[in-house]
Amino acid sequence: MKFPVFIYFFFEKLNFSYWTSTTVKANHYICCVPAEINQSLNSVLSHEFYLNKSQLLEATAFDLTNQQLVDNDFFFFLKKNNVVSLYSYFFFFLKKRITFFMHTSNKIKSAESFYSNANWLEREISEMFGVTFLLKKDSRNLLLDYGTNYNPFLKKFPATGHSEVVFNSFLKTTVYSPIATTEL
């Protein structure tokens, strides 16, 4: 079976210049789309008759900083922005999985209003990669301390970290101290 025709019509209505579809397996397709259509894409996927029985399987991002890409590489047009996000959906009526890769400008509209599990997935992307999600109800950190302003999954993050955290059992407090590195 071919790529779902409903999504072709959606792409035609948006009238943007680039998108690519390649088949990974017999029932798995990959599309590259701009991040500006994330809200409208999720709206169509959750309300269209043949697409509304769908599930958001995963959402993540990855950093392409200093990545050597060739001209015919799949991710070549995504190289403009260093961080690329992806959303992977499974459609039960079609029995197909479609993964959408998106340019990650620093702000993306959230898919939380259409898929409830997007809350946790987008909070993790926001925390680890520094992507800001608009229209998000809960933007607290999941893994890092509240108030931290660094993103550990970016390639520009230092390998040694910023501070050392030690629990002082005598004072019953957490002590943050800067890391002192010695050069040999």
Side-chain angles (χ1 to χ4, degrees):
M1 190 171 187
K2 298 287 184 190
F3 187 79
V5 71
F6 311 105
I7 297 178
Y8 274 127
F9 293 140
F10 171 69
F11 287 145
E12 187 176 291
K13 286 180 187 176
L14 286 176
N15 194 21
F16 58 87
S17 59
Y18 54 89
W19 75 279
T20 309
S21 176
T22 57
T23 305
V24 178
K25 294 182 183 176
N27 64 342
H28 187 187
Y29 292 91
I30 294 177
C31 296
C32 297
V33 296
E36 296 82 31
I37 70 159
N38 190 26
Q39 188 78 8
S40 54
L41 177 69
N42 284 308
S43 177
V44 167
L45 296 181
S46 63
H47 292 98
E48 187 68 35
F49 177 70
Y50 283 104
L51 302 175
N52 66 357
K53 298 298 182 197
S54 61
Q55 180 179 4
L56 177 63
L57 297 178
E58 65 179 317
T60 189
F62 51 93
D63 192 359
L64 288 179
T65 307
N66 300 329
Q67 188 75 25
Q68 298 298 323
L69 299 174
V70 294
D71 288 342
N72 59 358
D73 194 0
F74 178 72
F75 296 112
F76 182 74
F77 80 95
L78 297 173
K79 183 66 175 123
K80 290 190 300 187
N81 302 45
N82 292 332
V83 178
V84 174
S85 62
L86 71 93
Y87 286 83
S88 186
Y89 303 91
F90 183 78
F91 302 98
F92 293 103
F93 282 157
L94 302 173
K95 296 186 174 87
K96 294 200 178 298
R97 180 178 177 170
I98 301 176
T99 302
F100 293 98
F101 285 88
M102 297 177 199
H103 289 279
T104 304
S105 53
N106 288 331
K107 296 180 181 177
I108 298 178
K109 291 185 180 173
S110 176
E112 180 182 1
S113 58
F114 303 105
Y115 299 96
S116 59
N117 64 333
N119 179 26
W120 284 80
L121 298 170
E122 289 174 348
R123 281 172 66 185
E124 184 178 346
I125 294 170
S126 175
E127 182 178 2
M128 296 297 165
F129 291 97
V131 177
T132 304
F133 288 94
L134 303 174
L135 307 173
K136 189 119 184 87
K137 297 173 188 164
D138 186 9
S139 59
R140 295 175 295 160
N141 285 349
L142 289 172
L143 302 171
L144 299 177
D145 294 335
Y146 294 122
T148 56
N149 58 356
Y150 53 85
N151 309 105
F153 281 6
L154 293 179
K155 291 183 181 176
K156 64 182 178 182
F157 184 76
T160 58
H162 293 289
S163 61
E164 183 178 9
V165 181
V166 178
F167 180 73
N168 188 337
S169 59
F170 297 112
L171 300 174
K172 305 288 189 212
T173 61
T174 306
V175 178
Y176 292 88
S177 60
I179 293 180
T181 57
T182 54
E183 298 291 328
L184 297 176

